[in-house]
Amino acid sequence: MNLILQALPIAVPSIGWAVHACFLVRRLRSARRDPLTGLMCREEFTTRSQRAIRHPQAAVLLLDLNGFKQINDTHGHAVGDQVLAAVAKRLNAWCQARGGFAARLGGDEFTAMVRLAPDADVDAEMTYSLSAALSAPLDTGGVTLSPRASIGVCRTADRPGAGLSDLLRGADEAMYTAKRLGRHWQPAGPADVYATTNGRRAGRPGTHLTLLAPTARRTAS
C-alpha cells in the first residue's frame, strides 16, 4: 500500500499527459478530415499525393457532381449533405480497392489518387465501375436519388515527370470537357489544351482559383 501511495505523485501526472497526448492526436486527425464526408482534406491529400505520384501506375482523378445545386434547391441542404456523404463513401471504397485514396476539395468537388495498370480498361473502370458505383440509387428518407459525376483522369504515364499541380490541372481540364460533352469521364492528354490561370481554365467564371487552395462552394454544377 505504501508503495502505491509513493508512486501516485509520479503516476498521476504521467497518466494525465498520456490522456492529453491521445486527445491531441485525435484533434490532429480530425483536422485532416472533412467533417461531413470523413475524407481527407486537401492538405493531407497533397502531402500523400506528392509521394504517390512517383508510382508509374498512378493516376489523378477530379470529380464534380452534376446537378448538385438543383438537389440542394429542390430537396434542401440536408439531403444535399446526404448525397455528398454517400458519394464520398462510395468513392473512397472504390479508391481503396485500387491502392488509392480520396479527398474532398470543397463543395461538390472531389479528387482521388489511384493506381491503374498499364493494360487496364480505363473506360470500363470509369464508366462501369466508378460511375456506376457513384450513381447507385440513394434513399435519403424522403426521396431516392442517383448522384452522377463528371470525371477527369490524368495518368502519370501520360505526363512523365509532371508534378502534382500539372496532373491536377490535366484532370481538371478533362473533367470540364467530360461535363461539357455530357460524358461520364474524359482522359487528359499529354499536355493541356486550354490556357489556365492558377490551375483553372482562363476565362471561365468562378474557376480562377488554384486546385491546391480552398475553393468556395459553386453556385452551379
Side-chain angles (χ1 to χ4, degrees):
M1 185 67 179
N2 289 334
L3 290 175
I4 296 176
L5 293 175
Q6 291 174 5
L8 280 177
I10 299 175
V12 171
S14 299
I15 295 173
W17 279 112
V19 171
H20 183 63
C22 290
F23 173 75
L24 292 177
V25 168
R26 286 196 295 269
R27 285 286 300 274
L28 181 60
R29 288 175 178 170
S30 64
R32 295 174 178 174
R33 296 284 167 177
D34 175 61
L36 174 62
T37 64
L39 294 181
M40 63 180 65
C41 294
R42 69 182 70 245
E43 292 82 5
E44 181 73 4
F45 177 82
T46 300
T47 300
R48 291 189 60 179
S49 294
Q50 296 288 2
R51 299 189 298 267
I53 60 174
R54 300 171 189 168
H55 195 282
Q57 297 175 6
V60 177
L61 279 64
L62 203 70
L63 303 86
D64 187 89
L65 297 187
N66 299 326
F68 184 70
K69 181 178 184 297
Q70 184 178 358
I71 292 175
N72 272 337
D73 291 346
T74 303
H75 306 290
H77 288 278
V79 171
D81 286 348
Q82 288 186 60
V83 170
L84 292 174
V87 166
K89 183 177 180 180
R90 295 168 179 180
L91 174 62
N92 193 51
W94 186 87
C95 290
Q96 288 183 343
R98 289 155 184 80
F101 47 89
R104 183 187 180 196
L105 288 178
D108 59 336
E109 189 172 68
F110 301 85
T111 188
M113 177 75 66
V114 296
R115 294 179 183 177
L116 297 174
D119 58 348
D121 186 339
V122 184
D123 185 56
E125 286 278 20
M126 297 299 132
T127 303
Y128 304 108
S129 182
L130 179 54
S131 289
L134 296 179
S135 61
L138 171 65
D139 183 2
T140 65
V143 62
T144 298
L145 301 171
S146 295
R148 300 186 184 280
S150 297
I151 307 167
V153 183
C154 189
R155 304 174 74 171
T156 56
D158 295 329
R159 298 192 177 193
L164 180 60
S165 293
D166 288 335
L167 296 172
L168 280 166
R169 187 179 298 114
D172 184 52
E173 183 176 290
M175 182 269 290
Y176 277 118
T177 300
K179 188 178 288 287
R180 186 179 73 251
L181 298 177
R183 297 175 178 172
H184 292 287
W185 76 287
Q186 181 74 19
D192 295 326
V193 175
Y194 300 96
T196 60
T197 302
N198 293 332
R200 285 299 170 92
R201 187 185 303 181
R204 186 180 179 92
T207 59
H208 59 281
L209 298 176
T210 176
L211 286 171
L212 298 182
T215 55
R217 180 180 292 268
R218 291 187 182 146
T219 57
S221 295

